[in-house]
Amino acid sequence: MIIVIQCKDQVGLVASISAILAKYQLNIVSMREHVDKSEDIFFMRLEVEDGNNENLEQKLKEILPAGAIISVNPIPYKKVVVLVTKEYHCLADILIRNHFKTLGATVQCVIGNHATLQNICERFDMPFYHISHEQTSKEEFEQKISDTIEQHAPDYVILAKYMRILSPAFVAKFPMRIINIHHSFLPAFIGANPYRKAFERGVKLIGATAHFVSNELDEGPIIAQQIIPVNHSFTAATMVKAGQEIETSVLAKALKLIFEDRVFVSKNKTVVFE
Amino acid sequence: MIIVIQCKDQVGLVASISAILAKYQLNIVSMREHVDKSEDIFFMRLEVEDGNNENLEQKLKEILPAGAIISVNPIPYKKVVVLVTKEYHCLADILIRNHFKTLGATVQCVIGNHATLQNICERFDMPFYHISHEQTSKEEFEQKISDTIEQHAPDYVILAKYMRILSPAFVAKFPMRIINIHHSFLPAFIGANPYRKAFERGVKLIGATAHFVSNELDEGPIIAQQIIPVNHSFTAATMVKAGQEIETSVLAKALKLIFEDRVFVSKNKTVVFE
Amino acid sequence: MIIVIQCKDQVGLVASISAILAKYQLNIVSMREHVDKSEDIFFMRLEVEDGNNENLEQKLKEILPAGAIISVNPIPYKKVVVLVTKEYHCLADILIRNHFKTLGATVQCVIGNHATLQNICERFDMPFYHISHEQTSKEEFEQKISDTIEQHAPDYVILAKYMRILSPAFVAKFPMRIINIHHSFLPAFIGANPYRKAFERGVKLIGATAHFVSNELDEGPIIAQQIIPVNHSFTAATMVKAGQEIETSVLAKALKLIFEDRVFVSKNKTVVFE
Amino acid sequence: MIIVIQCKDQVGLVASISAILAKYQLNIVSMREHVDKSEDIFFMRLEVEDGNNENLEQKLKEILPAGAIISVNPIPYKKVVVLVTKEYHCLADILIRNHFKTLGATVQCVIGNHATLQNICERFDMPFYHISHEQTSKEEFEQKISDTIEQHAPDYVILAKYMRILSPAFVAKFPMRIINIHHSFLPAFIGANPYRKAFERGVKLIGATAHFVSNELDEGPIIAQQIIPVNHSFTAATMVKAGQEIETSVLAKALKLIFEDRVFVSKNKTVVFE
């Protein structure tokens, strides 16, 4: 059982929380706690052995400061919807893990603004919706997407190399529930064509960044980042290929962290208990 | 203020401990807890804001299981003695950090079984004892070393590329207080000439391991390990050179962890709260 | 066009080789050369712009020492057969890349000693042969496998978590053409249950090794190795899961190197021009 | 003996160069070659066994395109001058390596705009010039520095955490001979206070970049980059400390590459034969 708590900090929080758990006879296997001193926020993640947890959330609420976020998750299984365009690498990794039940979540469906990846979805009996952005207004297009998403009521929306910018109105429907993989080591190379820019700058490392989507382009809270070395023998095209390996890897890592309730959002940053 | 606790596990430990801290009005900034289920041992490290801690250790002892190890460290400054042979790289790194007061401990003296590194010690006004292993018995030799160490009453003895095997009798005088840097990714290449063996095996990574010294050669609890890539263009000699960089780096890392009270020993393993 | 040469070293080899290429008007885009001084062997890999290469292999043979291995590969596309048991992660990665034509080789078929992975193969229209090791002698069992392999005449046989030890007779049929992924940082933890051993030793890094198969268990030439950090919170079971990520990754890397003609075998080591 | 060549590309260059080496009976131990197709430039680095090299540079010049840069270096020992401000970590590392003759170059002197690091230089008998930037014009200040540098006629000027921006006039005196360590993963966080900016952005990796100094701030050709992971528990201050470790490490790496003649500059990028 995983318990996550986020609230205003005050002396004695750990004592109060753990006293309740002791009363429930719940044994704490692993505990992580962090206080953001600049914002005075308390974050806690507990893994406790399974046991009686009747009314536990309510009991915790009573002793925590007003506005506390509490979540007691007996099974860390979440539902997700995946948005894609044409590139297969992140989607295929997610489909494989989903198929073999090692993703830590279940994929409800995939939505593509191109039909390119329909075939791979069908091979895994995964519902695929082709919603084209062509010959329609951005409003209508995004409305269709959000309608389709909402039918499936997912916990998270994953942009697995979805290459269109989402409007603030769309993002506002899923606050801190949309996860994007950006193909650079943010904040370097914000925006389009990061590998081209990396090639032109002659960097010796390229990166990828998984982050929550906020309204500022590529400015949302960062969940995970990774890099790989490159050198003079790389072209912009071979950088793209090399980058796809870490895009896949860093998105998989970020999703694992989120699905295990290890990620907290605090203003424009994350607290991640790895 | 850092509080470390290691004891037999039981339900309610966190509640009892944090209740005492709350009574002392000590605010917990960061808390790490781990339970070794196979051995049923509870490990905890707390960073609390400075405040009144009169009798705190005693109060904690009263509520913890018998045999609990408790340590309340107002200042994480420890004393160390360094043993060396001829190679300079680990020692020089320690001397530099000690000189600029960024080591997190104070070096009391350096002992060498060769005089090679006397000069660099003198440049830093560091006492250096040349205790030769030649023309003496191993017993006498080690007696002289342990006498010199004990004069300085260090918390830890650091083997900074000290190339002689210590006898069980010597090791027994400083249980889990001797830290060695071994020039391989243990347990690969135990014993002498690890780089030669790595070269002959044609590995693509070489490593270094910082560990506590127990009576079995290179078998003590591992604190930290790092690797670097090598390839066919390396000879055994250039592997030695490359390896020295990570030996320096991994020993520095292990010492930092120890000096910040982040390392617990449990049987032949460590629990490290990074 | 990729040209690879391996022969006894002598002064003037580069001059002779490049003189022939110049006569053919073939422009060298990238050249890698290495001399193993201890064995006196010359290794070279050239990427040249496409052009006339009629009789080029013969012309090179004439000016190189007797016994030289020369290979001129207009298209770096090889054929492979994959052997598996029950674990899906390496196979799935290979199937995905094969499906999207980014593997750099074509998978002819998959052979499993269990039927577990038949379903995933069928989803990719990949021929799957279930050849059970039960109720048969090892000789018969391996004979069936090698017959099936030979029907497909592959350049390489990939053991993608194939969990049975191959006999010397089998290995001798495909010398330096069988690639295995071993789930440890060799030579640490040779043999069975490496993660269990790693857990018990308390290492802080775990690794995976891709290597050619020779007759000594886990002793063949190493192609690539990678590691990931672990800590006290890992059990043997979670180490297995974490290890699967790098097993997948390091096998993918090794295959890429081999399919691009970047790997040379020399006695029990490899020369790899990354 | 190391031979480096940079010139306009044309078919047959390798053949012509290696024919001359064969005539000299110089055996090539290791060869690296790269062609920048977009700029049509040929780069080559050769390690050859020592032997007669009388007039070799001239002979090579005769067969290479006009404007070729050729350098035959019997001993890869260069002279350097180091500029510092107050931070000790990069300087100390250089002084230690210089003292033990493992730097691959000799430090002629250290120049500081503060006197802070005079003491550590004196401990290594290293000449230290305190040239203050206060109570003087920028022109006069830089004139004094460049006069002092030129007295020592170094091959390279190393900015080892020298915290003042150099004027274009100063940089022009030492084109592509000034090496800087920047405390971020460029091009992220150009300019002042990169760790503060990294902290505020909530990145999960911080980096350091060694680069040649050109007239654009932090825009010169990048030689080497490294990163380390950070998390929510870091403050801007602890990021600075963590960053110092990789600043030291990446500058050491860049210097090693340069001192071994492995770095070529081509427009605003480097070609590095690691």
Side-chain angles (χ1 to χ4, degrees):
Chain A
M1 191 158 59
I2 294 161
I3 303 170
V4 295
I5 296 169
Q6 177 169 350
C7 62
K8 207 177 146 35
D9 188 36
Q10 61 187 41
V11 172
L13 278 180
V14 176
S16 321
I17 294 164
S18 50
I20 288 180
L21 297 181
K23 231 178 270 173
Y24 271 82
Q25 290 285 312
L26 292 169
N27 200 25
I28 301 168
V29 178
S30 175
M31 162 184 286
R32 296 292 299 269
E33 186 251 21
H34 174 71
V35 174
D36 180 337
K37 304 303 291 175
S38 61
E39 305 288 337
D40 232 28
I41 309 175
F42 171 92
F43 303 89
M44 180 176 254
R45 179 184 187 273
L46 297 135
E47 286 182 34
V48 301
E49 289 179 27
D50 281 336
N52 167 39
N53 67 352
E54 215 188 313
N55 293 325
L56 178 57
E57 230 170 281
Q58 182 53 35
K59 290 283 181 212
L60 286 168
K61 195 159 213 155
E62 288 168 12
I63 55 105
L64 292 172
I69 303 166
I70 307 157
S71 153
V72 177
N73 295 316
I75 314 148
Y77 242 55
K78 298 189 170 63
K79 293 188 293 176
V80 300
V81 164
V82 182
L83 267 63
V84 298
T85 296
K86 289 179 172 178
E87 285 176 271
Y88 74 87
H89 53 288
C90 290
L91 175 64
D93 185 69
I94 290 169
L95 288 175
I96 289 285
R97 292 175 199 262
N98 184 66
H99 179 76
F100 287 100
K101 307 212 178 308
T102 55
L103 182 64
T106 50
V107 182
Q108 306 289 298
C109 69
V110 174
I111 301 170
N113 63 317
H114 287 271
T116 316
L117 298 172
Q118 179 152 9
N119 176 277
I120 187 72
C121 287
E122 285 169 1
R123 285 174 188 270
F124 287 98
D125 310 315
M126 175 59 63
F128 179 90
Y129 301 88
H130 176 206
I131 302 177
S132 174
H133 61 281
E134 289 175 341
Q135 295 177 314
T136 180
S137 71
K138 179 144 193 168
E139 285 71 30
E140 278 185 313
F141 168 63
E142 290 196 341
Q143 188 62 49
K144 277 189 215 161
I145 291 183
S146 65
D147 286 352
T148 310
I149 291 172
E150 279 160 357
Q151 277 168 39
H152 293 86
D155 297 286
Y156 293 99
V157 175
I158 304 169
L159 309 184
K161 301 292 285 178
Y162 175 75
M163 302 306 277
R164 299 194 72 75
I165 294 171
L166 297 167
S167 71
F170 184 96
V171 172
K173 289 181 185 168
F174 310 98
M176 293 305 144
R177 290 169 51 206
I178 308 175
I179 298 147
N180 185 43
I181 177 72
H182 183 77
H183 40 324
S184 89
F185 176 68
L186 288 176
F189 311 125
I190 287 177
N193 292 321
Y195 293 117
R196 162 66 43 192
K197 290 174 194 162
F199 171 72
E200 279 162 9
R201 182 60 187 90
V203 294
K204 300 300 184 188
L205 302 172
I206 57 172
T209 303
H211 64 97
F212 288 107
V213 176
S214 65
N215 280 328
E216 303 300 315
L217 179 62
D218 301 337
E219 293 283 359
I222 292 170
I223 304 160
Q225 300 187 290
Q226 287 178 2
I227 56 90
I228 45 163
V230 292
N231 62 38
H232 58 268
S233 75
F234 282 71
T235 60
T238 55
M239 279 190 189
V240 168
K241 272 183 148 181
Q244 289 171 341
E245 304 286 327
I246 44 161
E247 290 167 19
T248 307
S249 159
V250 77
L251 180 57
K253 185 187 170 190
L255 293 181
K256 185 173 190 296
L257 292 169
I258 287 171
F259 297 155
E260 293 179 358
D261 283 318
R262 296 179 183 278
V263 180
F264 298 72
V265 175
S266 175
K267 293 217 159 177
N268 203 44
K269 296 185 190 180
T270 59
V271 170
V272 180
F273 292 133
E274 276 194 74
Chain B
M1 190 158 62
I2 293 161
I3 304 169
V4 295
I5 296 169
Q6 178 169 350
C7 63
K8 206 176 147 34
D9 189 35
Q10 62 187 43
V11 172
L13 278 179
V14 175
S16 321
I17 294 164
S18 51
I20 289 181
L21 297 181
K23 232 179 267 174
Y24 270 82
Q25 290 285 312
L26 291 169
N27 200 25
I28 300 168
V29 178
S30 175
M31 160 184 287
R32 295 292 298 269
E33 186 252 21
H34 174 71
V35 174
D36 180 336
K37 303 303 291 176
S38 60
E39 305 288 338
D40 231 30
I41 309 174
F42 171 92
F43 303 89
M44 181 176 253
R45 180 184 187 272
L46 297 135
E47 285 182 35
V48 301
E49 287 180 28
D50 281 335
N52 168 39
N53 66 353
E54 217 189 312
N55 293 325
L56 177 56
E57 231 170 281
Q58 183 53 36
K59 290 282 181 211
L60 286 168
K61 195 160 213 154
E62 289 167 12
I63 55 107
L64 291 172
I69 302 166
I70 306 156
S71 154
V72 177
N73 295 317
I75 313 148
Y77 242 54
K78 299 190 169 64
K79 294 189 293 176
V80 299
V81 165
V82 182
L83 267 63
V84 298
T85 296
K86 288 179 172 178
E87 285 176 90
Y88 75 87
H89 53 288
C90 289
L91 175 64
D93 185 69
I94 291 169
L95 288 176
I96 289 285
R97 291 175 198 262
N98 185 65
H99 179 76
F100 286 101
K101 308 214 178 306
T102 55
L103 182 64
T106 51
V107 182
Q108 305 289 299
C109 71
V110 175
I111 301 170
N113 63 317
H114 287 271
T116 317
L117 298 172
Q118 178 151 9
N119 175 278
I120 187 73
C121 286
E122 284 169 1
R123 286 174 188 269
F124 288 98
D125 311 316
M126 175 60 63
F128 180 91
Y129 301 88
H130 176 206
I131 301 177
S132 175
H133 61 282
E134 290 174 341
Q135 296 177 315
T136 180
S137 71
K138 179 144 192 165
E139 285 70 30
E140 277 186 314
F141 168 62
E142 288 196 341
Q143 189 61 50
K144 277 190 215 160
I145 291 184
S146 66
D147 287 353
T148 310
I149 292 172
E150 278 160 358
Q151 277 168 38
H152 293 86
D155 296 286
Y156 292 100
V157 176
I158 304 169
L159 309 185
K161 300 292 287 177
Y162 175 75
M163 303 306 278
R164 298 195 73 76
I165 294 171
L166 297 167
S167 72
F170 185 96
V171 171
K173 289 181 185 169
F174 309 98
M176 293 305 143
R177 288 168 53 206
I178 308 176
I179 299 148
N180 185 43
I181 177 74
H182 182 77
H183 40 325
S184 89
F185 175 71
L186 288 175
F189 312 125
I190 286 178
N193 291 323
Y195 293 117
R196 160 67 45 193
K197 291 174 193 162
F199 171 71
E200 278 162 9
R201 181 62 187 89
V203 294
K204 300 301 184 188
L205 302 173
I206 56 172
T209 303
H211 63 97
F212 288 107
V213 176
S214 65
N215 280 329
E216 302 300 315
L217 179 62
D218 300 337
E219 293 284 359
I222 292 171
I223 305 160
Q225 299 187 292
Q226 287 178 2
I227 56 89
I228 45 163
V230 291
N231 61 39
H232 58 268
S233 75
F234 282 71
T235 61
T238 55
M239 278 190 189
V240 168
K241 273 184 146 181
Q244 289 170 343
E245 303 287 326
I246 44 161
E247 291 167 18
T248 307
S249 161
V250 78
L251 180 57
K253 186 187 169 189
L255 294 180
K256 185 173 190 296
L257 291 169
I258 287 171
F259 298 156
E260 293 179 359
D261 284 318
R262 294 179 184 277
V263 181
F264 298 71
V265 175
S266 175
K267 293 216 160 177
N268 203 44
K269 297 185 191 180
T270 59
V271 169
V272 180
F273 292 133
E274 278 192 73
Chain C
M1 192 158 58
I2 293 162
I3 302 169
V4 295
I5 296 168
Q6 177 169 350
C7 62
K8 207 175 146 34
D9 189 35
Q10 62 186 43
V11 172
L13 278 179
V14 176
S16 322
I17 295 164
S18 51
I20 288 180
L21 297 181
K23 231 178 271 174
Y24 271 82
Q25 290 286 312
L26 292 169
N27 199 26
I28 301 167
V29 178
S30 175
M31 161 184 286
R32 295 292 298 271
E33 186 252 20
H34 175 70
V35 174
D36 180 337
K37 303 303 292 176
S38 61
E39 304 288 338
D40 232 28
I41 309 175
F42 171 91
F43 303 89
M44 181 176 254
R45 179 183 187 273
L46 296 136
E47 285 182 34
V48 301
E49 289 179 27
D50 281 336
N52 168 38
N53 67 351
E54 216 190 311
N55 293 325
L56 177 57
E57 231 170 281
Q58 183 53 37
K59 290 282 179 210
L60 287 168
K61 194 160 213 155
E62 288 168 11
I63 55 107
L64 292 172
I69 302 166
I70 307 157
S71 152
V72 178
N73 295 316
I75 313 147
Y77 244 56
K78 300 191 168 61
K79 293 189 292 176
V80 300
V81 165
V82 182
L83 267 63
V84 298
T85 296
K86 289 179 172 178
E87 286 176 89
Y88 74 86
H89 53 288
C90 289
L91 174 64
D93 185 70
I94 290 168
L95 289 176
I96 289 284
R97 292 176 198 262
N98 184 66
H99 179 76
F100 287 101
K101 309 214 176 306
T102 55
L103 182 64
T106 51
V107 182
Q108 305 290 300
C109 70
V110 175
I111 302 170
N113 63 317
H114 286 272
T116 317
L117 298 171
Q118 178 152 8
N119 176 277
I120 187 73
C121 286
E122 285 169 1
R123 285 174 189 271
F124 287 100
D125 310 316
M126 174 61 63
F128 179 90
Y129 300 88
H130 177 206
I131 301 177
S132 175
H133 60 281
E134 290 174 340
Q135 295 178 314
T136 180
S137 71
K138 179 144 190 165
E139 284 70 30
E140 276 185 314
F141 168 62
E142 289 196 341
Q143 188 61 50
K144 277 189 215 161
I145 292 184
S146 65
D147 287 353
T148 310
I149 292 172
E150 278 161 357
Q151 277 167 39
H152 293 86
D155 297 286
Y156 292 99
V157 175
I158 304 169
L159 309 184
K161 301 292 286 177
Y162 175 75
M163 303 307 277
R164 298 195 73 77
I165 294 171
L166 296 167
S167 72
F170 184 97
V171 172
K173 290 182 185 169
F174 309 97
M176 294 305 143
R177 288 168 52 205
I178 308 176
I179 298 148
N180 185 43
I181 177 73
H182 183 77
H183 40 324
S184 89
F185 176 68
L186 289 175
F189 312 125
I190 285 178
N193 291 323
Y195 293 117
R196 161 67 44 194
K197 291 174 194 161
F199 171 72
E200 279 162 9
R201 181 61 188 91
V203 294
K204 299 302 184 187
L205 302 173
I206 57 172
T209 303
H211 63 97
F212 289 107
V213 176
S214 65
N215 281 329
E216 303 300 315
L217 180 62
D218 301 338
E219 293 283 0
I222 293 170
I223 304 161
Q225 300 187 290
Q226 287 179 3
I227 55 91
I228 46 163
V230 291
N231 62 37
H232 58 268
S233 75
F234 282 71
T235 61
T238 55
M239 278 190 189
V240 168
K241 272 182 146 181
Q244 289 171 342
E245 304 287 326
I246 44 161
E247 291 166 19
T248 308
S249 160
V250 77
L251 180 57
K253 186 187 169 189
L255 294 181
K256 186 173 188 298
L257 292 169
I258 287 171
F259 297 156
E260 292 179 359
D261 284 318
R262 295 178 183 278
V263 181
F264 298 71
V265 175
S266 174
K267 293 215 159 180
N268 203 43
K269 296 185 192 181
T270 59
V271 169
V272 180
F273 292 132
E274 278 193 75
Chain D
M1 190 158 60
I2 293 162
I3 303 171
V4 295
I5 296 169
Q6 178 169 351
C7 63
K8 208 177 145 33
D9 188 36
Q10 61 186 43
V11 172
L13 278 179
V14 176
S16 321
I17 294 164
S18 50
I20 289 181
L21 297 181
K23 231 179 271 173
Y24 271 82
Q25 290 284 313
L26 292 169
N27 199 26
I28 301 167
V29 177
S30 175
M31 161 184 287
R32 296 291 298 270
E33 186 250 22
H34 175 70
V35 174
D36 180 338
K37 304 302 292 175
S38 61
E39 304 288 338
D40 231 28
I41 308 176
F42 171 92
F43 303 89
M44 181 176 253
R45 180 183 187 272
L46 297 137
E47 286 182 35
V48 300
E49 288 180 29
D50 280 337
N52 167 38
N53 66 353
E54 215 189 312
N55 293 325
L56 177 58
E57 231 169 281
Q58 183 53 36
K59 291 282 181 212
L60 287 167
K61 195 160 212 154
E62 288 168 11
I63 54 106
L64 291 172
I69 303 166
I70 307 156
S71 153
V72 177
N73 295 317
I75 313 148
Y77 243 55
K78 299 191 169 60
K79 294 189 294 177
V80 299
V81 165
V82 182
L83 267 63
V84 297
T85 296
K86 288 178 172 179
E87 285 177 90
Y88 74 86
H89 53 288
C90 289
L91 175 64
D93 185 69
I94 291 169
L95 289 175
I96 289 285
R97 292 175 198 262
N98 184 66
H99 179 75
F100 286 101
K101 308 214 178 304
T102 55
L103 182 64
T106 49
V107 182
Q108 306 289 301
C109 70
V110 174
I111 302 170
N113 63 317
H114 287 271
T116 317
L117 298 171
Q118 178 151 11
N119 176 277
I120 187 72
C121 286
E122 284 169 1
R123 286 175 188 269
F124 287 99
D125 310 315
M126 175 59 64
F128 180 90
Y129 300 88
H130 177 207
I131 301 177
S132 175
H133 60 281
E134 289 174 341
Q135 295 177 314
T136 179
S137 71
K138 179 144 193 167
E139 285 70 30
E140 277 185 314
F141 168 62
E142 289 196 340
Q143 188 62 50
K144 278 190 214 161
I145 291 184
S146 65
D147 287 352
T148 310
I149 291 172
E150 278 160 357
Q151 277 168 38
H152 293 86
D155 296 286
Y156 292 99
V157 175
I158 304 169
L159 310 184
K161 301 291 286 178
Y162 175 76
M163 302 306 277
R164 299 195 72 76
I165 293 171
L166 296 168
S167 72
F170 184 96
V171 171
K173 289 181 185 170
F174 309 98
M176 294 305 143
R177 289 169 51 205
I178 308 177
I179 298 148
N180 185 43
I181 176 72
H182 183 76
H183 40 327
S184 90
F185 175 70
L186 287 176
F189 310 126
I190 286 177
N193 291 322
Y195 293 116
R196 162 65 46 193
K197 291 174 195 162
F199 171 72
E200 279 162 9
R201 181 61 188 90
V203 294
K204 299 301 183 187
L205 302 173
I206 56 171
T209 304
H211 64 97
F212 288 107
V213 176
S214 65
N215 280 329
E216 302 300 315
L217 180 61
D218 301 336
E219 293 284 359
I222 293 171
I223 305 161
Q225 299 188 291
Q226 288 178 2
I227 56 89
I228 44 164
V230 292
N231 61 38
H232 58 269
S233 75
F234 282 72
T235 60
T238 56
M239 279 190 189
V240 168
K241 273 182 147 181
Q244 289 170 344
E245 304 286 327
I246 44 160
E247 291 167 18
T248 307
S249 160
V250 77
L251 181 57
K253 185 187 169 190
L255 294 181
K256 185 173 190 298
L257 291 170
I258 288 172
F259 297 157
E260 292 179 359
D261 283 318
R262 295 178 183 278
V263 181
F264 297 72
V265 175
S266 175
K267 293 216 159 178
N268 203 44
K269 296 185 192 180
T270 59
V271 169
V272 180
F273 292 132
E274 278 194 74

